[in-house]
Amino acid sequence: MRRQLIEEPLSNHTSFRIGGPAAFYYEPETREEIRDLLLQCKEEGIRTAVIGNGSNLLVGDKGFRGAVIRLGEGFGAIETDGNRLKAEAGALLAKLARTAANAGLGGLAFAAGIPGTVGGALVMNAGAYGGEMKDVLESAELLLSDGSVRRFTGAELELSYRHSNIPELGAIVLSAVFVLQPGEKEEILAEMKRYAASRREKQPLEFPSAGSAFKRPAGDIAARLLDAAGCKGLRIGGAAISEKHAGFLVNLDHASAADVRAVLKEAADRVEAQSGIRLEPEIRFLGEF
């Protein structure tokens, strides 16, 4: 076991830099340790939550009164096999995209700027710039709640916009295989560079956030609706809708989870009053609020 901690502040493990403590916090190094932890917690009636890079997560101010298992550096291996990449769940998407580009494989450039891990990206079918994980996923290896391991095809995971059935299965992603298309290395790297420049220009990368705050509504764009409803700059406590990009909710100054939730509600209320559309948070919530 890499680390075992008690009352570990989860603000240390989320991109928002917000969140109370986990009663128990683990960083396992092997699959056997993950399985044993899950089975032990199940036997003892302890709630569990698995996180990766914590990049799409808001943890409550009271923390999580259970066991948090983080799959990080110890599960970050990536292997190239022809036009396929096999990656463990803790591999960062940025590293996955760079590995693909350096191997002359296209299809993952969209993922280069997503600050999450492979496991988290599959759970929510992460995407950007018109690409999604479902476009390139061949299969994923999941650890099921009974301790068994099974490989699922992309179709079996029912990937759709910011959704998979992995939470419903009560499963944990262990690894994934991606099928990519041969391409010119320099062209792929240039595409990634263009996306990076666009992010720096348009997104508030200088502040902690959890990425896009709201899901894209059918037939429209959340940022446009938020801007039209006068939400840019909306601030409660230390949390605010970014002045630079209305789709981002940022931690301006020691924001609490309560501040973030209040801004999310106020922004959704304003958009609904102005357009009749109720925005749904893209951010996932964990713990006691």
Side-chain angles (χ1 to χ4, degrees):
M1 192 75 66
R2 186 181 299 270
R3 296 172 78 191
Q4 303 180 64
L5 302 170
I6 294 175
E7 298 299 329
E8 169 67 2
L10 291 174
S11 56
N12 293 339
H13 305 285
T14 67
S15 60
F16 242 146
R17 300 293 178 257
I18 294 172
F24 308 100
Y25 174 87
Y26 300 98
E27 290 184 1
E29 291 186 296
T30 67
R31 293 181 172 202
E32 291 72 22
E33 287 179 347
I34 301 172
R35 185 195 63 219
D36 292 348
L37 278 171
L38 289 173
L39 293 178
Q40 181 181 348
C41 288
K42 185 176 181 181
E43 185 178 324
E44 297 179 10
I46 298 172
R47 291 186 298 160
T48 58
V50 178
I51 66 172
N53 211 34
S55 59
N56 191 49
L57 187 66
L58 178 67
V59 177
D61 295 315
K62 297 177 183 177
F64 180 68
R65 308 321 298 162
V68 169
I69 301 170
R70 180 173 181 267
L71 303 188
E73 296 81 1
F75 294 88
I78 300 172
E79 298 176 5
T80 306
D81 180 14
N83 67 330
R84 286 175 167 78
L85 286 187
K86 180 178 180 181
E88 290 186 307
L92 292 173
L93 291 183
K95 183 179 179 183
L96 186 73
R98 285 196 304 272
T99 301
N102 288 329
L105 296 173
L108 271 169
F110 75 88
I114 300 175
T117 59
V118 166
L122 293 190
V123 169
M124 67 171 294
N125 185 31
Y129 298 105
E132 295 179 304
M133 301 308 289
K134 72 179 181 67
D135 300 333
V136 291
L137 179 69
E138 179 178 78
S139 64
E141 200 176 14
L142 304 187
L143 174 64
L144 303 179
S145 59
D146 63 0
S148 64
V149 175
R150 182 187 152 193
R151 184 165 294 279
F152 288 74
T153 65
E156 288 175 320
L157 295 181
E158 301 176 6
L159 301 178
S160 58
Y161 178 69
R162 302 301 175 265
H163 171 269
S164 75
N165 64 4
I166 296 171
E168 297 157 32
L169 293 170
I172 296 171
V173 179
L174 295 176
S175 69
V177 176
F178 303 95
V179 179
L180 306 175
Q181 301 301 318
E184 292 296 327
K185 174 181 174 179
E186 296 308 319
E187 291 180 8
I188 299 166
L189 290 171
E191 182 182 13
M192 289 167 58
K193 190 174 290 186
R194 288 194 300 272
Y195 290 156
S198 176
R199 283 191 298 275
R200 287 193 299 270
E201 178 188 352
K202 298 177 181 179
Q203 298 178 10
L205 303 179
E206 65 273 26
F207 295 107
S209 79
S212 297
F214 292 99
K215 294 179 181 179
R216 183 183 66 231
D220 215 321
I221 298 172
R224 190 200 72 78
L225 292 169
L226 289 158
D227 196 2
C231 292
K232 271 189 176 179
L234 167 64
R235 178 172 180 171
I236 297 175
I241 298 292
S242 170
E243 293 272 12
K244 191 174 185 180
H245 190 309
F248 281 68
L249 197 165
V250 296
N251 179 356
L252 283 182
D253 183 19
H254 300 92
S256 66
D259 293 339
V260 173
R261 297 255 291 201
V263 172
L264 286 170
K265 182 180 185 306
E266 176 62 21
D269 287 348
R270 288 190 187 186
V271 168
E272 186 172 29
Q274 200 268 341
S275 68
I277 297 172
R278 186 73 185 181
L279 294 178
E280 295 181 26
E282 185 168 311
I283 299 166
R284 293 176 180 253
F285 307 106
L286 174 67
E288 314 302 325
F289 289 83

